[in-house]
Amino acid sequence: MKEIIKESISRRVKEDVKYMKELLKDNSDIVFREFRIHELNAAIVFIDGLADKSFISDYIMESVMHEESVKYHVDEIKERILAVADMKEVDTLKDGINAVLSGETLLLIDGLRVGYVIATRAWPARGVSEPSGETVIRGAREGFTETMRFNTALVRRRVRDTRLRVVPKSLGTRSKTDVVVMYIEDIVNKSIVDELNKRVDNIEIDAVLDSGYVEQLIEDNPFSLFPQIQSTERPDVVAAALYEGRVAMLVDNSPFAIIAPATLPTLFQSPDDYYQRWINASLMRILRTIAVVLSLILPALYVAITSYHTAIIPSRLAYSIAASREGVPFPSVVETLIMEFSFALLLEAILRLPRPIGSTIGIVGGLIIGQAAVSAGIVSPLMIIITSLTAITEFITPNYEVSIALRCTRFLLIIASSILGLYGIMLGLILLLTHLLRLKSFGIPYLAPAVSPDANDLKDMFIKLPLRYFKKRPNYMKTVDKIRQK
């Protein structure tokens, strides 16, 4: 049901206060403080816990109640009397009430058809700390918090450019969540900004509680396993994306920023890659690529070889595999699915439990249960090794959402290999590649720069060249200012 609020502010404070009390009834934390400024009635409205009461007393009420000339010059309140840094006028009760619900203070005075919204937000907030999900060896140790204004400040420290734009928006008909869209005006492709604004403006939902809501509502293909928008806790990642011509969004109450467009190669990159020498970064990227391939196809290869293609492996290895599987009552595909499912359960338990308990569960699940399963003959020792290698290679992926997508794809490849063997794996990989080639993020190919016709874009893909060779921004982003350094 759409909320209907009286539009205009009357010249009578008591009438407006009575209306707001009726509208906001049964709310013990909303404070209505009525007082007089000489012969004029006045009132302030704020929420206890979201607004700073000391600031309200010292800089709002103290200023207006002890001003002798206010009865003659009531319009001077904004220009001369109120000693506050951030204040704006509103001419509707709807805007005033929305500001109060956001932690601001509304000042109403008899005879004025406008109200004054004064910035008094002072709710409890978590301090800036190191991001837990994106640890780096070298680089900043700052991470976003749940307070959007802190987050914009963290980005501002890294982008001291007059052309940085921080455009405010509000999402959620009931939650009225503050959102900002950030981009550098003379770098970003205007069509990307226009498309993102169009999708955001079309969102009609009652509440937005996290940036994940926005991410799901504006992505190109909601049925794809792969994320088409990057999420990050790190302000330096956001700043780097802005300098490349991308667009970032910060959502109040969420410590995660979202960046669009996103491509699969960029999701495999780590901030560490740019803070260390190119040789180290290139070796880590090659290792990361090999790990991704292994995590994707290793269990499926095991199923295909043990079920259909034992002749392609050396005889001694085939005998060794057969000996290790002796006594296992399940076919290899069932054995593999049991271990993959058990690993997924174990990982979920580790993530959801408190850290001290989670680490204990990891040791118990990884060692005791695995050893017991082998001793009981439920799975073979080789399957334990393959599952462990798959887990290790999956954890190398920097982006958690991509690792989840790879895990889901791995299940599909295991099933395909159990039906068609190696042909099933090849067919699955062809279908996966076809899907990724068709996928786009805000008009940008999802596999860029791998599919970019410009060789300059390949300098920052599997191998990262020395920083001095990054003269231009990625060509596939179609930025306005293409020069990065001279």
Side-chain angles (χ1 to χ4, degrees):
M1 183 177 178
K2 189 174 182 180
E3 185 180 30
I4 301 176
I5 300 178
K6 175 184 173 183
E7 285 294 328
S8 61
I9 295 176
S10 70
R11 293 179 180 271
R12 295 177 293 277
V13 169
K14 289 188 177 296
E15 180 181 321
D16 290 334
V17 169
K18 181 180 178 181
Y19 176 81
M20 286 191 291
K21 284 183 176 180
E22 178 63 26
L23 183 68
L24 302 171
K25 62 182 179 181
D26 299 330
N27 286 291
S28 60
D29 58 341
I30 299 181
V31 179
F32 294 88
R33 173 68 165 89
E34 299 182 58
F35 56 96
R36 293 183 64 83
I37 307 175
H38 296 282
E39 76 278 7
L40 300 177
N41 292 318
I44 57 172
V45 186
F46 63 92
I47 295 181
D48 188 11
L50 294 185
D52 187 345
K53 290 195 289 186
S54 298
F55 183 90
I56 294 171
S57 299
D58 296 341
Y59 295 98
I60 301 177
M61 298 189 66
E62 181 77 17
S63 298
V64 298
M65 293 181 71
H66 293 84
E67 176 58 40
E68 296 181 357
S69 63
V70 72
K71 61 181 179 179
Y72 303 110
H73 303 285
V74 72
D75 293 334
E76 294 183 6
I77 290 176
K78 180 179 179 181
E79 288 79 7
R80 187 176 64 85
I81 298 173
L82 284 176
V84 294
D86 189 1
M87 179 174 59
K88 65 179 181 180
E89 292 182 1
V90 292
D91 53 8
T92 65
L93 280 179
K94 181 179 180 180
D95 292 339
I97 292 172
N98 287 340
V100 170
L101 295 176
S102 298
E104 315 291 19
T105 297
L106 176 63
L107 171 62
L108 299 172
I109 301 175
D110 262 350
L112 294 180
R113 284 197 174 275
V114 297
Y116 296 109
V117 171
I118 304 165
T120 56
R121 297 184 184 185
W123 52 68
R126 179 172 64 92
V128 176
S129 59
E130 184 174 356
S132 58
E134 296 176 80
T135 56
V136 294
I137 298 174
R138 182 174 181 177
R141 295 294 191 268
E142 293 178 324
F144 288 129
T145 71
E146 288 75 15
T147 305
M148 188 184 68
R149 194 50 64 201
F150 290 176
N151 297 340
T152 57
L154 290 173
V155 177
R156 280 278 186 188
R157 286 182 58 194
R158 294 163 172 82
V159 188
R160 302 178 185 182
D161 192 334
T162 58
R163 290 150 293 190
L164 174 65
R165 299 293 175 255
V166 183
V167 183
K169 293 180 179 292
S170 180
L171 294 178
T173 56
R174 293 184 182 273
S175 67
K176 298 177 178 64
T177 306
D178 293 326
V179 177
V180 294
V181 179
M182 307 183 74
Y183 57 90
I184 300 178
E185 190 173 31
D186 66 332
I187 295 179
V188 70
N189 185 343
K190 301 298 182 185
S191 62
I192 295 177
V193 177
D194 293 341
E195 180 63 24
L196 186 139
N197 284 328
K198 177 183 175 182
R199 297 185 190 184
V200 172
D201 293 339
N202 287 335
I203 294 176
E204 293 185 4
I205 191 172
D206 59 347
V208 172
L209 303 181
D210 187 80
S211 59
Y213 281 54
V214 183
E215 178 182 349
Q216 296 175 66
L217 291 170
I218 66 174
E219 63 183 351
D220 287 69
N221 187 349
F223 298 103
S224 175
L225 293 175
F226 291 84
Q228 296 126 65
I229 296 175
Q230 182 180 1
S231 62
T232 180
E233 296 179 88
R234 301 184 60 87
D236 55 339
V237 173
V238 171
L242 294 176
Y243 285 127
E244 281 194 347
R246 305 180 196 273
V247 183
M249 288 187 66
L250 300 176
V251 179
D252 199 20
N253 304 314
S254 175
F256 287 88
I258 55 178
I259 301 170
T263 64
L264 189 60
T266 59
L267 295 176
F268 282 118
Q269 295 172 358
S270 170
D272 266 337
D273 297 347
Y274 299 94
Y275 301 148
Q276 55 185 329
R277 300 186 69 249
W278 72 276
I279 296 179
N280 300 338
S282 298
L283 288 175
M284 289 307 301
R285 286 190 180 183
I286 294 172
L287 182 63
R288 211 175 289 145
T289 303
I290 296 173
V292 167
V293 174
L294 288 177
S295 70
L296 192 61
I297 67 172
L298 191 58
L301 277 176
Y302 171 77
V303 172
I305 291 174
T306 56
S307 300
Y308 295 98
H309 308 285
T310 54
I312 68 173
I313 58 176
S315 300
R316 289 187 178 182
L317 180 58
Y319 293 146
S320 177
I321 293 175
S324 68
R325 285 187 44 78
E326 186 177 359
V328 176
F330 306 111
S332 59
V333 60
V334 176
E335 177 190 16
T336 304
L337 289 175
I338 288 174
M339 290 305 300
E340 286 290 332
F341 185 69
S342 301
F343 168 70
L345 288 178
L346 180 63
L347 181 60
E348 189 69 15
I350 294 173
L351 290 175
R352 304 304 170 196
L353 289 172
R355 287 189 178 182
I357 302 176
S359 59
T360 304
I361 292 294
I363 296 173
V364 172
L367 296 179
I368 300 177
I369 297 179
Q371 182 62 39
V374 173
S375 301
I378 298 175
V379 296
S380 64
L382 181 59
M383 189 67 249
I384 296 292
I385 295 173
I386 290 175
T387 303
S388 302
L389 283 175
T390 304
I392 293 171
T393 53
E394 181 180 316
F395 290 147
I396 293 178
T397 307
N399 189 285
Y400 177 71
E401 292 178 328
V402 173
S403 67
I404 295 296
L406 292 176
R407 188 186 308 166
C408 295
T409 306
R410 185 165 66 242
F411 274 102
L412 297 177
L413 289 178
I414 291 172
I415 295 173
S417 66
S418 69
I419 299 173
L420 298 174
L422 291 177
Y423 299 105
I425 297 176
M426 289 187 288
L427 179 61
L429 292 176
I430 291 172
L431 292 176
L432 174 63
L433 182 60
T434 303
H435 170 68
L436 294 177
L437 285 170
R438 296 181 60 184
L439 203 58
K440 289 188 176 183
S441 175
F442 290 85
I444 304 300
Y446 193 59
L447 290 183
V451 295
S452 174
D454 191 349
N456 178 68
D457 293 344
L458 300 178
K459 296 178 181 179
D460 190 24
M461 193 175 169
F462 297 114
I463 295 178
K464 173 184 169 291
L465 293 185
L467 193 59
R468 67 183 65 183
Y469 293 104
F470 287 77
K471 303 291 185 182
K472 296 181 179 180
R473 294 185 174 85
N475 183 64
Y476 63 87
M477 289 298 300
K478 298 180 175 62
T479 55
V480 177
D481 182 4
K482 300 183 181 299
I483 304 301
R484 177 179 284 172
Q485 65 171 318
K486 296 181 180 179

